[in-house]
Amino acid sequence: MGTTSMNNTEDPELGEAGAQLSTAPVETAADRTPGGPTLGVIGWARWFWRQLTSMRVALILLFLLSLGAIPGSLIPQNSVDEMKVQAFRDRHETLAPLYDKLQFFDVYSSVWFSAVYILLFVSLIGCIVPRSWQFVGQLRSRPPGAPGRLTRLPAYTTWRTAAEPEEVREAALTMLRGRRFRAHGVGDAVAAEKGYLREAGNLVFHVSLIVMLIAFAWGQLFKSEGGKLVVEGGGFSNTLTQYDDFKSGSLFGTDELTPFSFTLDSFTGTYARSGPQRGTPRTYEAALTWSTPGSADRKQVVEVNRPLEVDGTKVYLNGHGYAPVVTVRDGKGDVVFQDAVPLLPIDNNVTSTGAIKVMDGYRDKNGKKDQLGFQAFFVPTFAGAGKGDMFSQFPGLEFPVLALTGYHGSLGVDAGLPQNVYQLDTRKMKQFKGADGEVLKQRLLPGETMQLPDGAGSITFEKDVKEWATFQITRQPATGWALTGAVAAIGGLAASLFIRRRRVWVRAVRGEDGVTVVEMAGLGRSESAKLPEELTDLALTLHAQAPTAPGETEEPDVPAEGAQQ
């Protein structure tokens, strides 16, 4: 196609303006900048804020937060039990480094979980603030006036009465207010509305979520929790050095530890002896004697989910096991070690393993002093000798057997490096060997003794097995606020789901024949089969005060919801 020219000078009506127009360049679609107007920094910030505070994004963030809590529930957490985390690392050497990079062992303090948490918090704040102002505006406003044609509404009825229109409207106003409607007169009609608590419930639900998030954050920042294993007769004082392990929030100070102490008087555990639940605990309780500075001793029995509580700090019963009492003598027969040694369970029948460490051991033939160590394996109810390792067949203390393997050398404790008290470091130790050259191992019944070669002495399994219990000492502030927020959230959600927002209008005007025409109609924010029923009840109540005029229909007729007159 050729170019198109425009000669405006040929039109005498355009004159000089036409000549100027003819010389101006013509803008084509190709000359325009594609994409339209661009957003600046403020525009992008507004767009991001609108997206973040939308209900869709809030639900997505809530779903991501719930999804993120799944690995925190399935994978051992450092904040709960570091020993389980280490055991998981040992079993999954390939998977553990990946979990470390993803922070799956510290889910609730991870960067990604904190980011989702903070975004959800900001989203809820941004959603609630405008809704709050909107709700306040609704509370201050009055129900709107009646529509021009009430017959278009889902629930509608009408009748004619001999009462004056003013009397009908006054009766309707009194009746509706008595039914807790917000009602007022607008022209020839009465407008009423009910169900504002629906919006209030929705608002309470969102505010409660914020309260829960704040309580959770507060609890994580100021919490403290630690574990302690206590053997019967032993005790605990709530100081940092007494804990076996201790974790706290970033804003918690050790001087905030509640001063108290307790002694484990006894542990009682009974178990089902027969049936499919054989071995299941029936009684599981620890008898404590506890006190605070300046107070008398008090007794309390601690059970699972029934902790000891002292000034906001709770002592939970976590676990249980056995501590065989052993006596180690040197070559001269002198006692160098005598104590109850707690061993850790490895199954539900309390098959247990651990280590016995004797710092003051014996002197060998060259006069060199060696330390002693024993790998210990204990079963409370021996199942009988077999070809493999022995295991317990019942968690109760019925037939105890202690299996020992002896070592001598350096325990590695003199280096000053921390080590697990339940594991034996044998890198600088040698196993005892019997006269036949075999490794010295022996199973002991209560009262039996294993003799060590080369004048190293002996170890005796005494006729006494004590029990131990592990306790979790926790201080979790703001739990009351979290519970209150959870209860309020459930209440608010129930209100938003079950309370119906609806409006009712009553119009009373004088007809052409002088008889008053009464119209009543109802409209709900959401569809409900109860709206026609409620309107029927209101209409019959008003009809009793403004009955149908003689010769008219005896009572109002309310159609089913969705019908139109």
Side-chain angles (χ1 to χ4, degrees):
M1 296 178 63
T3 59
T4 302
S5 61
M6 180 183 296
N7 190 356
N8 292 320
T9 56
E10 296 178 359
D11 191 343
E13 296 183 359
L14 294 178
E16 184 179 354
Q20 294 177 356
L21 182 63
S22 64
T23 59
V26 179
E27 182 183 17
T28 64
D31 297 326
R32 299 190 185 100
T33 302
T38 59
L39 292 176
V41 176
I42 297 178
W44 278 110
R46 288 177 177 173
W47 178 86
F48 178 78
W49 178 254
R50 285 196 297 268
Q51 296 300 315
L52 181 60
T53 56
S54 65
M55 183 61 67
R56 179 181 68 255
V57 172
L59 291 175
I60 292 174
L61 291 173
L62 190 60
F63 172 75
L64 291 177
L65 197 69
S66 304
L67 195 64
I70 294 177
S73 302
L74 300 179
I75 300 173
Q77 299 294 295
N78 282 317
S79 60
V80 178
D81 195 331
E82 290 185 348
M83 295 183 64
K84 287 186 177 180
V85 174
Q86 186 58 47
F88 185 92
R89 294 179 190 274
D90 296 338
R91 293 194 307 270
H92 305 86
E93 296 181 357
T94 304
L95 200 59
L98 177 62
Y99 282 5
D100 278 326
K101 293 180 179 179
L102 296 176
Q103 297 180 299
F104 278 177
F105 295 120
D106 300 279
V107 167
Y108 302 110
S109 59
S110 63
V111 174
W112 55 269
F113 190 87
S114 300
V116 174
Y117 180 87
I118 293 173
L119 286 175
L120 178 60
F121 184 81
V122 174
S123 177
L124 289 174
I125 291 289
C127 180
I128 287 175
V129 171
R131 289 175 70 93
S132 300
W133 287 114
Q134 182 182 7
F135 180 65
V136 171
Q138 291 176 355
L139 289 178
R140 297 180 62 182
S141 64
R142 290 186 170 188
R149 299 179 62 181
L150 294 178
T151 55
R152 293 181 176 271
L153 299 183
Y156 171 84
T157 186
T158 182
W159 73 92
R160 291 157 60 87
T161 180
E164 295 296 324
E166 295 78 6
E167 296 177 358
V168 175
R169 290 195 289 269
E170 185 63 29
L173 189 63
T174 302
M175 175 194 66
L176 290 170
R177 287 177 176 174
R179 299 289 184 93
R180 292 178 298 178
F181 279 85
R182 294 180 59 194
H184 69 112
V186 184
D188 59 359
V190 173
E193 189 168 1
K194 192 176 183 180
Y196 285 91
L197 286 180
R198 179 185 180 92
E199 298 298 329
N202 199 357
L203 191 62
V204 166
F205 172 74
H206 286 82
V207 172
S208 299
L209 287 181
I210 292 182
V211 171
M212 292 172 62
L213 290 175
I214 293 176
F216 178 76
W218 189 272
Q220 290 299 310
L221 291 173
F222 292 92
K223 74 173 183 178
S224 69
E225 59 183 9
K228 179 63 178 179
L229 186 149
V230 183
V231 181
E232 287 179 324
F236 168 79
S237 180
N238 194 25
T239 59
L240 190 60
T241 56
Q242 289 278 301
Y243 284 92
D244 294 334
D245 58 85
F246 184 81
K247 294 283 186 180
S248 65
S250 56
L251 299 182
F252 178 83
T254 54
D255 56 340
E256 299 176 28
L257 290 171
T258 304
F260 72 94
S261 61
F262 67 83
T263 301
L264 176 60
D265 299 327
S266 63
F267 180 89
T268 303
T270 60
Y271 309 89
R273 306 189 64 84
S274 60
Q277 293 186 340
R278 172 180 164 82
T280 303
R282 295 302 185 211
T283 304
Y284 209 73
E285 58 188 31
L288 303 182
T289 299
W290 67 279
S291 64
T292 56
S295 68
D297 290 346
R298 282 166 280 186
K299 301 282 188 179
Q300 182 166 336
V301 174
V302 176
E303 302 178 37
V304 177
N305 297 325
R306 292 184 59 186
L308 165 67
E309 185 170 359
V310 185
D311 295 336
T313 299
K314 295 182 178 181
V315 180
Y316 291 92
L317 175 61
N318 256 12
H320 155 258
Y322 294 101
V325 178
V326 297
T327 301
V328 179
R329 292 178 172 85
D330 60 15
K332 298 179 181 180
D334 297 331
V335 175
V336 294
F337 178 88
Q338 186 175 46
D339 202 357
V341 181
L343 305 177
L344 299 182
I346 60 175
D347 60 21
N348 292 332
N349 286 327
V350 203
T351 302
S352 306
T353 183
I356 302 171
K357 301 179 183 182
V358 183
M359 308 303 174
D360 297 326
Y362 77 106
R363 294 187 182 274
D364 61 13
K365 297 178 181 179
N366 300 321
K368 183 181 177 181
K369 189 174 182 180
D370 269 0
Q371 296 173 331
L372 298 177
F374 300 89
Q375 294 277 16
F377 202 82
F378 176 79
V379 291
T381 303
F382 186 47
K387 296 182 179 180
D389 294 333
M390 66 177 188
F391 286 93
S392 177
Q393 64 177 356
F394 188 72
L397 195 64
E398 297 189 349
F399 188 6
V401 174
L402 178 64
L404 296 173
T405 303
Y407 294 79
H408 65 95
S410 174
L411 293 170
V413 296
D414 298 331
L417 298 176
Q419 60 177 231
N420 193 329
V421 297
Y422 304 105
Q423 293 180 352
L424 193 64
D425 185 358
T426 60
R427 289 176 296 178
K428 297 182 179 180
M429 304 192 78
K430 296 180 179 179
Q431 285 184 305
F432 283 111
K433 294 185 178 180
D436 55 358
E438 296 294 329
V439 173
L440 183 62
K441 297 181 179 180
Q442 188 171 339
R443 292 175 180 173
L444 303 178
L445 296 175
E448 293 184 345
T449 299
M450 180 173 76
Q451 297 293 334
L452 303 178
D454 301 327
S458 64
I459 180 170
T460 302
F461 177 20
E462 303 292 346
K463 295 182 179 180
D464 185 15
V465 178
K466 293 187 177 182
E467 301 191 46
W468 56 258
T470 52
F471 299 92
Q472 183 177 2
I473 298 92
T474 302
R475 183 180 180 86
Q476 188 82 28
T479 53
W481 284 102
L483 178 61
T484 301
V487 173
I490 295 174
L493 183 62
S496 64
L497 292 177
F498 297 109
I499 295 178
R500 297 171 294 111
R501 183 90 175 268
R502 63 271 192 200
R503 290 171 178 169
V504 173
W505 291 276
V506 180
R507 175 175 286 147
V509 295
R510 192 178 302 278
E512 296 180 355
D513 55 357
V515 179
T516 300
V517 178
V518 181
E519 291 181 292
M520 292 187 68
L523 177 65
R525 282 286 186 93
S526 58
E527 294 185 2
S528 174
K530 293 184 179 181
L531 180 62
E533 299 177 7
E534 186 174 22
L535 188 65
T536 300
D537 184 41
L538 294 173
L540 293 176
T541 302
L542 183 60
H543 182 267
Q545 301 181 51
T548 304
E552 303 291 340
T553 305
E554 288 300 325
E555 61 180 33
D557 179 29
V558 181
E561 183 177 13
Q564 295 184 354
Q565 296 289 333

